[in-house]
Amino acid sequence: MKVLVIGGGGREHAVAKKLLSGKTVESVYCAPGNAGMKRDGITVVAIPQDNHEALIDLVKKEQIDWTFVGPEVPLFNGIVDDFQAEGLAIFGPTQAATQIEASKEFAKELMTANNIPTAGYQAFDDYNAACQYIENGPVPIVIKADGLAAGKGVVVAETKEVALNALDDMMLDKKFGSENTRVVIEEYLTGEEFSLMAFVSGEKVYPMVISQDHKRLLEGDKGPNTGGMGAYAPVSHIADSIIEQAIEQILKPAAKGMAKNNTPFTGILYAGIMATEEGPKTIEFNARFGDPETQVLMNRLESDLGEVIQAILNDSEPDLKWKTEGVSLGVVVAAEGYPETYEKEIPLGLPEEDEQLQLYFAGVSEKEGQLVSDGGRIFLVEASAATIEEAQSLIYQSLDSVSKPGCVYRRDIGHRAVNSEPAGNKKAM
Ligand code: AMP
Ligand code: GLY
């Protein structure tokens, strides 16, 4: 079977590699892909992810059996609708269903209508009304731009001044998109955060193991938010009872609610969740796999990913098995200066891969036959081991053994698992 993966980052590299490792899929094309993927036998095709017509032509010409979409942008642009209109099989949500990620207000309304626990909120179109709400309310408070902001549209404001500045940026200066100036202002949640994803087909939900992302640039979870500096799975200090609650109270009613709304969801549904003292509460939904969570989750999956997706596309039950022992941990190597300005074409020192250690490439290209950097997040080193500490030492030893001028990475990925008390509900479940 031939499959196309749309996207070009570490998430897509991990998905493509996992597809190739099973029996169902013989060849994987990735568009636009990246030069690092070629090392794993992935066919990289230089078609941009927003050129639906050229992607459709590729699928027809190469007789590709089905397509998997990694990033949110092509999904928001309706790539699934366009492929389906041509009668082509594609795994991902329709444009209407992507509103669960693209519109914070759509997501909040879905949660309210289906009793899904989340932070209290109010949506505003009127700048003065929003200012008044902040003046009269508590801090910290969270301000979210409605609509796509590539992960940048969220401000956790510790003070009223910061909150009011965020309103200026979003509503007056239209910093996060020219048309939509609506904001959602929500209650600040405290607790341990985790990512819960599931394969979803209409009302059917097949959950994955949970993972934890490290969004801040610097060690100790300090510094600016990034696309993610590392992740690990499973997150053993989050109790099974909390995960069970999150599946029953968040993922399943979300899928049901989407079907009831006439926007049924097929694809990967991602819930960012806070384990609060009152139980799990939803922070956000995404209509796709998380990055870098996927790079650590793929190694936890024992089943053939191609077979799982094929089964869902055929509307039959997938056989989903996850490893029960050990952990997977991933550390992102980024260009110095990321997420602001950084150099490109940095020559890369790459650790050797082996059974326990894998590389997933993101911002790379080829220059004179060598891989060089071409983006902020360059690659991720993933290790599978018995414990978090063992995975950390495999990764950090391997990184220490190569030269890496111009590159940075956090040395504390997984620290919350090593140092945390069990999180979530205080009372026994
Ligand atoms: P997002 O881009 O929606 O993932 O938000 C970025 C980060 O902001 C999340 O990973 C959380 O750490 C934080 N955040 C978002 N909403 C809330 C909230 N209501 N309470 C506390 N933290 C939040
Ligand atoms: N790792 C968070 C995300 O993919 O949105």
Side-chain angles (χ1 to χ4, degrees):
M1 187 168 274
K2 287 182 179 176
V3 169
L4 168 66
V5 173
I6 295 176
R11 166 182 51 205
E12 290 76 27
H13 188 174
V15 168
K17 193 166 175 175
K18 186 72 187 174
L19 285 169
L20 275 177
S21 74
K23 290 202 187 91
T24 310
V25 174
E26 278 128 33
S27 52
V28 175
Y29 296 73
C30 193
N34 69 56
M37 294 177 175
K38 293 191 215 162
R39 296 167 31 130
D40 288 319
I42 298 157
T43 306
V44 173
V45 189
I47 301 175
Q49 62 183 26
D50 59 1
N51 192 342
H52 299 190
E53 216 179 296
L55 292 167
I56 286 169
D57 285 348
L58 172 76
V59 166
K60 287 182 177 169
K61 187 166 142 258
E62 299 295 331
Q63 297 185 316
I64 288 169
D65 294 274
W66 46 264
T67 297
F68 177 91
V69 191
E72 64 275 21
V73 173
L75 293 168
F76 292 173
N77 289 342
I79 197 157
V80 168
D81 310 66
D82 290 349
F83 269 58
Q84 286 173 347
E86 294 286 330
L88 301 175
I90 183 162
F91 185 69
T94 60
Q95 190 174 37
T98 63
Q99 290 178 88
I100 197 167
E101 173 172 358
S103 164
K104 304 272 181 215
E105 206 186 358
F106 177 96
K108 283 294 194 187
E109 280 172 3
L110 176 83
M111 289 190 263
T112 307
N114 295 283
N115 290 320
I116 297 172
T118 185
Y121 80 104
Q122 207 153 332
F124 293 91
D125 285 308
D126 182 70
Y127 172 73
N128 291 326
C131 289
Q132 190 120 44
Y133 185 80
I134 284 173
E135 297 283 6
N136 297 333
V139 280
I141 188 103
V142 182
I143 327 272
K144 300 188 174 185
D146 200 37
L148 175 62
K152 292 192 190 115
V154 176
V155 174
V156 178
E158 300 284 339
T159 64
K160 291 195 177 176
E161 194 189 347
V162 173
L164 291 169
N165 282 339
L167 282 188
D168 288 357
D169 285 348
M170 291 177 196
M171 301 188 88
L172 300 182
D173 300 338
K174 302 184 180 180
K175 228 172 151 179
F176 299 106
S178 53
E179 275 149 56
N180 200 347
T181 58
R182 172 170 299 201
V183 297
V184 168
I185 302 183
E186 70 177 44
E187 171 200 359
Y188 175 74
L189 300 175
T190 51
E192 185 80 9
E193 222 177 309
F194 64 96
S195 309
L196 170 62
M197 295 185 248
F199 296 90
V200 172
S201 172
E203 295 193 14
K204 289 185 234 146
V205 171
Y206 307 101
M208 306 185 201
V209 289
I210 64 166
S211 50
Q212 193 171 55
D213 185 8
H214 297 58
K215 289 203 167 96
R216 303 293 200 98
L217 179 69
L218 304 175
E219 281 154 28
D221 297 319
K222 300 205 167 66
N225 263 315
T226 68
M229 296 302 290
Y232 65 97
V235 189
S236 50
H237 57 285
I238 306 260
D240 287 349
S241 58
I242 311 232
I243 302 169
E244 205 44 49
Q245 263 184 305
I247 293 167
E248 295 302 321
Q249 297 174 6
I250 297 173
L251 285 186
K252 287 187 179 171
K256 268 208 170 109
M258 291 295 280
K260 208 166 60 194
N261 258 352
N262 285 325
T263 52
F265 190 99
T266 294
I268 308 292
L269 183 60
Y270 168 124
I273 296 172
M274 192 76 88
T276 75
E277 288 192 6
E278 293 162 1
K281 292 193 181 181
T282 318
I283 294 175
E284 60 163 349
F285 285 115
N286 291 326
R288 51 162 177 90
F289 265 128
D291 188 339
E293 289 95 326
T294 305
Q295 291 89 309
V296 297
L297 275 185
M298 288 299 103
N299 259 318
R300 305 295 305 161
L301 180 62
E302 282 184 340
S303 319
D304 174 349
L305 178 65
E307 197 175 15
V308 169
I309 294 175
Q310 176 73 38
I312 296 175
L313 286 170
N314 290 341
D315 209 17
S316 57
E317 291 285 310
D319 176 26
L320 211 51
K321 284 203 186 71
W322 299 92
K323 286 183 191 159
T324 52
E325 303 288 322
V327 301
S328 168
L329 187 115
V331 175
V332 169
V333 176
E336 217 173 312
Y338 171 79
E340 304 291 331
T341 51
Y342 49 82
E343 271 188 48
K344 287 191 179 176
E345 299 198 354
I346 307 168
L348 302 177
L350 297 174
E352 288 283 321
E353 287 183 284
D354 60 31
E355 251 178 36
Q356 280 183 285
L357 201 89
Q358 317 229 9
L359 302 182
Y360 294 115
F361 289 97
V364 294
S365 61
E366 240 164 4
K367 195 181 170 197
E368 289 152 16
Q370 297 291 320
L371 280 183
V372 294
S373 78
D374 189 30
R377 289 193 300 166
I378 306 169
F379 64 94
L380 174 142
V381 188
E382 182 270 342
S384 293
T387 63
I388 295 275
E389 289 91 334
E390 206 182 306
Q392 285 174 330
S393 79
L394 282 170
I395 292 172
Y396 293 123
Q397 274 172 24
S398 79
L399 278 168
D400 288 342
S401 71
V402 296
S403 86
K404 40 199 178 302
C407 294
V408 291
Y409 55 90
R410 277 178 60 164
R411 295 197 72 95
D412 67 342
I413 301 301
H415 72 100
R416 300 180 75 85
V418 178
N419 301 322
S420 283
E421 296 293 314
N425 306 34
K426 285 269 160 73
K427 56 182 185 292
M429 296 281 308

